[in-house]
């Protein structure tokens, strides 16, 4: 049995990374890099499951790498590469398409959310995307996968696929069952405009999210305009259950300031939301704008970013090719 701990996670290059990606994923990536071997992938093949402008996609891949580095990922410690550069991902995805069941995919809520009422018009790629995600993880025999709560169901599918493969091909423990690592308090950062929807890159309104590249002025404006509540702040966050926008602002404040949410409620109790918003804008500006500045600086040298991807690809390919060879043998492919 593979007992070595290995972290794998991916981010789609579908646009500017935002506070949800940062608190739900990137911050966790950076702390895990100190404890375990980590592989972080720019999942460009996932991005094209919805149409991406080709020149924009190339820029977004480089910008995602810049965001990885700016938040503290170290390419000397972690493997950083883009998914399409290691073709073993798609080869394994095909094998896993044949292991995964249609009934399992039919249960995936993200497909329903993303395809909306237009299921018949959605790409086949969007539908089978979770099988490719399973391939990304299992190709490296990853044991831990840091993700936001929105990816929990896909992770469970990856475990089901791993289990079925191990059973079908009579190779108990061949694929480890990957464990999700979901941040407890900030598993889902919500839109600043609608507290029932997650903060997302593809949401039309830029006012729904804080981008890592936003200026201090933009952050202030967006927080000022964020939906909150006309009542004063209560003394317990449970009283905000039916006020998702207000709860979202409190959660973000607690997370960015690294203060326990109960302490935040005591600090803020009885105050207007404008008070919280001023404090929140201040801490966001001090946490996020240096990251944005670093992203811009890194983007001035695209050759350097491409070199990091190339080195990462070389390292990832060594593990991927070795594992794929064993997988092909298990399946009986010559
Ligand atoms: N709002 C969020 N709160 C917490 N975590 C989040 N993540 C994304 N949004 C939130 C986590 O960030 C990682 C990378 O996500 P992704 O970019 O690969 O895909 P996504 O989840 O589809 O992100 P977006 O912003 O919603 O992109 P689009 O709009 O292109 O679909 C993942 O670990 C995710 O959980």
């Amino acid at each position: 049995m593979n007992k070595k701990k290995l972290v794998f996670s991916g981010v789609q290059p579908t646009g500017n990374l935002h506070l949800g990606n940062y608190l739900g994923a990137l911050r966790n990536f950076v702390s895990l890099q100190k404890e375990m071997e980590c592989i972080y992938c720019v999942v460009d093949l996932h991005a094209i499951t919805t149409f991406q402008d080709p020149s924009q996609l190339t820029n977004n891949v480089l910008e995602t790498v810049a965001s990885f580095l700016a938040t503290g990922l170290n390419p000397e410690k972690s493997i950083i590469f883009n998914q399409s550069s290691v073709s073993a991902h798609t080869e394994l995805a095909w094998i896993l398409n044949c292991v995964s069941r249609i009934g399992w995919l039919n249960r995936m809520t993200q497909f329903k959310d993303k395809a909306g009422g237009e299921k018949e018009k959605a790409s086949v790629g969007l539908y089978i995307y979770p099988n490719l995600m399973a391939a990304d993880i299992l190709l490296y025999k990853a044991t831990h996968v840091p993700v936001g709560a929105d990816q929990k169901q896909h992770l469970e599918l990856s475990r089901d696929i791993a289990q079925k493969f191990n059973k079908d091909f009579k190779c108990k423990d061949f694929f480890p069952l990957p464990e999700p690592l979901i941040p407890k308090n900030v598993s889902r950062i919500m839109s600043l405009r609608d507290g029932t929807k997650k903060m997302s890159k593809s949401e039309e309104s830029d006012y729904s999210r804080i981008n890592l590249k936003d200026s201090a002025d933009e952050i202030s404006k967006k927080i000022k305009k964020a939906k909150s509540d006309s009542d004063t702040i209560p003394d317990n966050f449970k009283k905000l259950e039916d006020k998702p926008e207000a709860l979202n602002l409190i959660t973000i404040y607690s997370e960015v300031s690294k203060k326990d949410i109960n302490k935040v409620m005591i600090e803020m109790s009885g105050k207007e939301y404008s008070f919280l918003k001023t404090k929140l804008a201040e801490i966001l500006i001090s946490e996020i704008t240096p990251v944005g500045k670093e992203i811009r600086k890194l983007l001035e040298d695209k050759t350097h970013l491409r070199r990091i991807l190339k080195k990462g690809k070389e390292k990832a390919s060594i593990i991927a090719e070795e594992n794929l060879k064993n997988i092909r043998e298990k399946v009986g492919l010559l």
Side-chain angles (χ1 to χ4, degrees):
M1 185 172 166
N2 177 18
K3 291 216 171 102
K4 198 172 86 175
K5 286 185 182 168
L6 181 74
V7 168
F8 180 96
S9 197
V11 174
Q12 296 192 58
T14 40
N16 287 325
L17 297 198
H18 51 72
L19 188 65
N21 298 130
Y22 178 69
L23 295 176
L26 290 178
R27 235 173 41 168
N28 218 0
F29 290 5
V30 176
S31 54
L32 284 165
Q33 153 186 271
K34 293 177 198 137
E35 308 158 20
M36 292 189 219
E37 200 178 319
C38 297
I39 303 178
Y40 295 121
C41 186
V42 182
V43 285
D44 45 8
L45 295 174
H46 286 292
I48 61 168
T49 55
T50 55
F51 183 77
Q52 305 295 317
D53 178 305
S55 60
Q56 201 57 42
L57 178 63
T58 310
N59 283 332
N60 284 341
V61 170
L62 297 176
E63 188 163 326
T64 307
V65 180
S67 306
F68 279 2
L69 303 180
T71 47
L73 288 186
N74 177 352
E76 298 302 322
K77 276 193 180 158
S78 300
I79 299 179
I80 295 174
F81 74 108
N82 61 308
Q83 186 186 27
S84 65
S85 68
V86 178
S87 58
H89 285 251
T90 42
E91 189 171 340
L92 179 56
W94 181 257
I95 295 174
L96 299 185
N97 281 341
C98 302
V99 174
S100 181
R101 304 288 95 181
I102 292 174
W104 297 354
L105 287 179
N106 282 344
R107 286 201 290 274
M108 297 297 115
T109 55
Q110 197 185 70
F111 175 74
K112 291 176 195 159
D113 291 346
K114 287 202 172 179
E118 304 266 305
K119 253 202 243 163
E120 300 289 319
K121 288 188 186 158
S123 74
V124 175
L126 187 66
Y127 180 65
I128 57 171
Y129 153 118
N131 293 344
L132 176 59
M133 177 166 161
D136 300 335
I137 298 164
L138 300 179
L139 182 59
Y140 300 93
K141 298 194 171 184
T143 54
H144 294 81
V145 184
V147 280
D150 54 310
Q151 292 296 335
K152 187 166 179 264
Q153 197 186 29
H154 291 164
L155 237 307
E156 281 158 8
L157 180 87
S158 299
R159 292 168 64 91
D160 289 344
I161 293 175
Q163 228 159 358
K164 182 159 164 51
F165 184 100
N166 292 348
K167 187 164 166 274
D168 288 354
F169 296 103
K170 300 187 178 47
C171 48
K172 194 170 176 282
D173 300 332
F174 177 73
F175 282 130
L177 305 188
E179 295 284 343
L181 297 175
I182 300 177
K184 269 200 199 90
N185 306 323
V186 285
S187 57
R188 220 170 149 88
I189 297 297
M190 309 312 272
S191 155
L192 300 177
R193 311 292 283 167
D194 177 352
T196 62
K197 285 192 188 159
K198 73 165 189 160
M199 187 177 283
S200 161
K201 301 183 211 97
S202 51
E203 167 61 46
E204 218 171 295
S205 166
D206 200 50
Y207 275 87
S208 67
R209 61 183 164 261
I210 301 290
N211 301 306
L212 297 186
K213 277 189 353 190
D214 280 346
S215 65
D217 205 35
E218 282 165 323
I219 294 176
S220 281
K221 271 196 200 139
K222 287 179 179 180
I223 294 298
K224 215 176 252 175
K225 278 189 171 261
K227 247 176 128 179
S228 57
D229 192 39
S230 50
D231 286 347
T232 55
I233 302 174
D235 56 1
N236 188 324
F237 69 91
K238 293 206 170 97
K239 293 183 185 160
L240 292 174
E241 265 165 11
D242 59 342
K243 294 176 177 174
E245 289 86 9
L247 181 60
N248 191 36
L249 292 178
I250 296 272
T251 309
I252 297 173
Y253 181 73
S254 147
E255 210 33 52
V256 180
S257 64
K258 299 201 172 90
K259 286 184 194 164
D260 180 77
I261 193 155
N262 295 307
K263 284 200 182 127
V264 171
M265 295 311 295
I266 294 167
E267 180 189 335
M268 296 286 166
S269 166
K271 300 206 162 62
E272 304 284 337
Y273 280 92
S274 54
F275 178 81
L276 166 70
K277 284 181 171 186
T278 308
K279 291 259 180 202
L280 180 56
E282 274 169 19
I283 51 163
L284 279 174
I285 289 167
S286 73
E287 175 107 5
I288 299 298
T289 52
V291 175
K293 208 168 143 205
E294 187 61 19
I295 295 174
R296 281 176 218 284
K297 196 173 128 212
L298 286 160
L299 282 171
E300 282 168 18
D301 188 356
K302 297 212 166 100
T303 314
H304 172 62
L305 299 173
R306 283 179 189 266
R307 218 178 290 128
I308 286 174
L309 285 176
K310 185 165 175 285
K311 271 199 183 160
K313 171 214 158 143
E314 286 161 7
K315 290 189 210 160
S317 295
I318 295 171
I319 310 171
E321 288 306 326
E322 175 64 22
N323 286 341
L324 186 64
K325 186 170 142 272
N326 295 332
I327 294 163
R328 289 176 57 103
E329 268 171 25
K330 297 281 175 224
V331 179
L333 298 170
L334 276 179

